[in-house]
Amino acid sequence: MLYDQITDYFQQRYDEAPSLIVQAPGRVNLIGEHTDYNDGFVLPMAIDRAVWIALRPRADRRVQVYSPTFGENLSFSLDHLRQNEEVKEGWGEYLKGVAWAMQEAGHELRGWEGIVVGDVPIGAGLSSSAALELATARAFAALSGILWDAPQMALLGQRAENQWVGVNCGIMDQMISATGQPGHALLIDCRSLESESVPLPSGNTVVVLDTATRRGLVGSAYNERRAQCEAAAHFFGVPALRDVSLEQFAAQAEELDEVTRRRARHIITENERTLHAAEAMRRQDAEMLGHLMDESHRSLRDDFEVSSPELNTMVDLARQHEGCYGARMTGAGFGGCAVALLRAENAPTFASRVIRQYEEATGLMPTVYLCQAAEGASIIVQSDKM
Ligand code: GLA
C-alpha cells in the first residue's frame, strides 16, 4: 500500500505525520491513439497505479524531496529554477518543470519538504511522468491555496513536459491523470478540453500487457509523425486533421503522397472509431468496443506504422484467448504496452496463458496488469496545520 509506505517514510525522516498527502494516477488509453496532437478525440482511463507525494510546508521557498524509488534527494529554490543539463529527463526535472510552469502562469508557490513514491511502471507507456507532474501540481496547489482547475493544471503539466523536460507530447496523459473517474473512461475532446465520462462495460476487465520492450527512438519517430500530420492538415487547408471528414479525405486523398495519405487516414478513421467506441460503451456493448480496438490496432500497425513485432505478437496472442473482445497497442508505440478488453471471469487464466505463450514466442518475460479505472489527481490527507 502506497499510503502505508509513504507515511512510514515520512515519519522516519521527519518524526511526525505529513501535513498533506496527494496522489495522481497513470493511465491506459482504450482507443484514440496519436489523435490528441491532431485536436481529436481520445478515450483513456486513469489506472489504479499512481504517484504519491507526502509533505509538510517550509517557511522558506525551498523544495526538498526524497525518492525512495531512486534513493535520491532533490533540493531546489523556487527563486532560482535551473534545468539540469545532464539528466534532462530525471524525476526531479518533472517536479522543477511543474514549479516553473505554475510560476510562469502567475501562481505564488510555497516551499515544502517531503517524500515521493509511486507504483506506475516507469517507461512502460503508462504515463508515470504525467502522474508525477499532476501529483506535483496537486501538491503545490493545495499547499499554496490555488484553486484546482483540472484542465488548466493538465495544460501546465504538459507545458512542463514540452518546454522544461523537452518531450513533445500531446495533452491526453495529463488530462486523464488530472480528471480520471473511478469505473469510467473519459472521452476527451483535445481541442476544447471538454470531457465526458463513459462507464466501462460491466463484467469486463481492462488488461494491460507489458511487452518488456522499450524503444529509444520513440521521440524522433513521434516528432516525425506529428510533422506528417501537420503536413496533411496543411494540404487539406485546415488547422488540424480533426477538421477533415471521411468524405473530404476520400475525395482528395489521391493527390497526397502515399505515406502522408496513410498517416492521415489513420488519424481521420481513429477519430471516428473513438466516437463510436464511446457510443458502444454508453450501450454497454463490449463486442463493438472490442471490434473497434482491433481495427485501431490494424490502423496503427499498417497506416501509422508505430507498432512493433512484439506488440503485434502480444495483440495476436491476446485475441486468440476466449473472452477477449479486442486488443491493441496503447500509448506512443514502438514498444511498451498493449491493452485488451476481457470478460472478467476469463482474466486469471488469460494472464497465465498469455504470459507463457508470449515468453515462448519472444523469449521475453511480459508483465500483465489487471486494471481498475481510478480517480484523477486528488488530496488524500490535508491537516489543518497548513
Ligand atoms: C504519448 C503522448 C500522448 C499521445 C500518445 C499517443 O503517450 O504523451 O500525448 O500522443 O503518445 O496517442
Side-chain angles (χ1 to χ4, degrees):
M1 274 291 295
L2 290 179
Y3 177 83
D4 296 331
Q5 215 188 82
I6 203 164
T7 46
D8 284 354
Y9 274 116
F10 196 95
Q11 187 71 39
Q12 275 167 30
R13 211 171 167 90
Y14 300 105
D15 210 19
E16 64 171 356
S19 323
L20 178 72
I21 305 180
V22 299
Q23 69 83 33
R27 65 98 186 92
V28 61
N29 190 18
L30 298 181
I31 194 163
E33 216 65 83
H34 288 271
T35 43
D36 63 350
Y37 54 83
N38 289 290
D39 278 4
F41 298 95
V42 294
L43 192 52
M45 68 179 218
I47 57 174
D48 47 346
R49 290 180 163 258
V51 170
W52 288 51
I53 296 176
L55 61 83
R56 65 180 185 189
R58 284 176 64 101
D60 60 12
R61 286 185 30 91
R62 286 203 76 76
V63 174
Q64 276 179 1
V65 199
Y66 176 67
S67 157
T69 315
F70 294 98
E72 280 171 14
N73 285 296
L74 169 76
S75 174
F76 62 89
S77 159
L78 291 166
D79 295 318
H80 307 284
L81 284 168
R82 239 173 280 123
Q83 267 143 313
N84 183 336
E85 295 301 331
E86 280 149 43
V87 232
K88 282 211 170 100
E89 294 186 27
W91 64 277
E93 293 308 294
Y94 291 92
L95 276 128
K96 280 155 61 185
V98 169
W100 167 79
M102 290 180 86
Q103 295 196 132
E104 285 284 298
H107 296 302
E108 293 243 341
L109 303 185
R110 290 174 71 188
W112 53 273
E113 56 200 7
I115 310 280
V116 52
V117 299
D119 61 0
V120 189
I122 295 168
L126 299 176
S127 293
S128 56
S129 51
L132 179 53
E133 287 154 13
L134 269 297
T136 305
R138 196 73 198 83
F140 272 120
L143 183 67
S144 315
I146 299 163
L147 183 74
W148 183 254
D149 176 332
Q152 285 308 316
M153 291 297 167
L155 283 168
L156 292 180
Q158 184 198 20
R159 183 160 185 213
E161 182 130 0
N162 292 169
Q163 294 181 25
W164 189 274
V165 182
V167 176
N168 205 11
C169 62
I171 190 64
M172 168 169 72
D173 308 342
Q174 289 78 12
M175 268 298 285
I176 188 64
S177 184
T179 63
Q181 287 186 21
H184 291 72
L186 287 192
L187 174 66
I188 303 171
D189 178 333
C190 295
R191 174 170 278 166
S192 67
L193 296 190
E194 276 164 18
S195 56
E196 179 200 333
S197 58
V198 275
L200 290 166
S202 59
N204 291 279
T205 304
V206 171
V207 189
V208 171
L209 305 149
D210 187 345
T211 61
T213 56
R214 309 283 182 259
R215 287 285 182 274
L217 289 175
V218 179
S220 56
Y222 187 87
N223 290 340
E224 185 190 63
R225 296 301 182 285
R226 283 189 77 138
Q228 290 165 333
C229 291
E230 278 159 26
H234 185 252
F235 166 82
F236 287 105
V238 292
L241 283 179
R242 144 76 174 273
D243 303 302
V244 182
S245 67
L246 282 171
E247 294 70 31
Q248 191 184 356
F249 175 75
Q252 285 178 266
E254 288 288 288
E255 297 162 42
L256 274 170
D257 71 88
E258 204 257 337
V259 172
T260 314
R261 180 165 64 234
R262 284 191 286 115
R263 302 295 188 253
R265 183 165 60 196
H266 166 71
I267 301 300
I268 295 162
T269 57
E270 184 80 349
N271 274 328
E272 289 281 313
R273 281 187 289 272
T274 305
L275 293 172
H276 286 152
E279 274 166 32
M281 287 174 77
R282 287 184 209 109
R283 293 196 306 268
Q284 293 279 300
D285 186 346
E287 297 266 356
M288 177 52 80
L289 176 59
H291 168 72
L292 292 161
M293 290 169 75
D294 291 342
E295 296 271 294
S296 168
H297 184 73
R298 280 192 278 275
S299 178
L300 286 157
R301 183 190 63 196
D302 302 336
D303 275 354
F304 215 60
E305 295 181 284
V306 291
S307 191
S308 69
E310 293 85 3
L311 281 165
N312 295 338
T313 302
M314 187 66 99
V315 165
D316 290 345
L317 290 173
R319 280 309 277 121
Q320 286 163 21
H321 199 283
E322 194 194 348
C324 179
Y325 289 110
R328 55 183 288 278
M329 57 149 278
T330 184
F334 300 101
C337 294
V339 60
L341 182 69
L342 199 72
R343 213 183 294 132
E345 67 207 48
N346 295 94
T349 48
F350 174 88
S352 55
R353 279 243 310 260
V354 170
I355 288 175
R356 182 167 42 76
Q357 292 173 331
Y358 180 82
E359 197 191 351
E360 274 168 20
T362 64
L364 294 163
M365 195 59 199
T367 312
V368 175
Y369 306 99
L370 306 182
C371 293
Q372 304 285 337
E375 191 186 8
S378 64
I379 296 173
I380 306 287
V381 170
Q382 184 166 23
S383 85
D384 43 20
K385 276 199 290 180
M386 284 172 40

